[in-house]
Amino acid sequence: MIETTEGDRAFPPALADVARVEFDYDDGEGVDFEPYDAFDSAEETTDWLRHWTGNHQLDGDAYRVFGQDGTGGLAALWRVRPDRPLAEQPVVFLGSEGERGVVAANLSDFLWVLADGLGPMEVVEHEEYDARPNPVLTELAERHASTPRRSTRDIVTAARSEFPTFSEDLDALCR
């Protein structure tokens, strides 16, 4: 079993701080996000990806899963930028019913999405991003973010422009 606290599985300090925040689902009006305090193991990630795609030849090495929604959809860092640290990898969401999308181009931008009162599932499943600023998450983003604050719409638009074939690339992996 690969340890989830060493090497490229070391949990970024910003995500450790996010894991200490309680997200209020508020009967569907809040944020449906349950952050983890460590990445899923390599084995858990591989098992999930194989079941999600139906392709049992895959491994989950391209993903570092760090949270979920209430239905089991997963938020992950997608290791698509070779030789770049985890904090510079895009954040993606893969829902339990096949929903998927790029949420932010990097961890820093993801912190600003959270500060706007939105989670990964809300960004992927909705086209309107009604900001409900969260003071706790805003302070966390101000402490950890290396990118300037921008609207969720600008963050998502930029990320999806940079990775326009994410969904199609996943479809190609499905069996």
Side-chain angles (χ1 to χ4, degrees), residues 1 4 44 56 65-66 68 71 73 87 90 106 133 135 137 155 158 160 164 174-175:
M1 183 166 174
T4 61
E44 290 170 307
H56 294 278
V65 176
F66 64 85
Q68 68 180 43
T71 68
N106 54 56
L137 289 164
I155 288 169
R160 291 184 181 165
C174 293
R175 300 291 178 256

Side-chain angles (χ1 to χ4, degrees), residues 122-130 153 156 160:
E122 289 82 15
V123 167
V124 169
E125 290 191 2
H126 305 288
E127 292 185 23
E128 295 298 317
Y129 309 122
D130 296 327
R153 174 154 312 288
V156 172
R160 291 184 181 165

Side-chain angles (χ1 to χ4, degrees), residues 61-125:
D61 193 50
Y63 300 94
R64 297 294 180 267
V65 176
F66 64 85
Q68 68 180 43
D69 71 358
T71 68
L74 300 178
L77 292 171
W78 176 35
R79 296 179 55 242
V80 68
R81 294 178 171 134
D83 303 319
R84 302 278 288 278
L86 287 177
E88 294 179 20
Q89 303 295 338
V91 173
V92 297
F93 178 78
L94 291 100
S96 62
E97 301 298 321
E99 314 87 345
R100 75 302 267 303
V102 179
V103 176
N106 54 56
L107 181 55
S108 180
D109 283 348
F110 179 66
L111 297 175
W112 292 121
V113 170
L114 294 176
D116 263 358
L118 298 159
M121 184 273 297
E122 289 82 15
V123 167
V124 169
E125 290 191 2

Side-chain angles (χ1 to χ4, degrees), residues 24-31 117 122 132:
D24 185 5
Y25 183 59
D26 192 23
D27 295 321
E29 300 299 316
V31 177
E122 289 82 15
R132 296 177 307 257

Side-chain angles (χ1 to χ4, degrees), residues 134-171:
N134 179 310
V136 171
L137 289 164
T138 297
E139 188 277 325
L140 190 151
E142 288 169 346
R143 200 164 6 105
H144 289 285
S146 59
T147 56
R149 185 169 196 159
R150 295 178 291 151
S151 72
T152 294
R153 174 154 312 288
D154 289 346
I155 288 169
V156 172
T157 299
R160 291 184 181 165
S161 293
E162 185 175 355
F163 302 102
T165 63
F166 175 72
S167 187
E168 291 82 8
D169 294 345
L170 274 176
D171 285 343

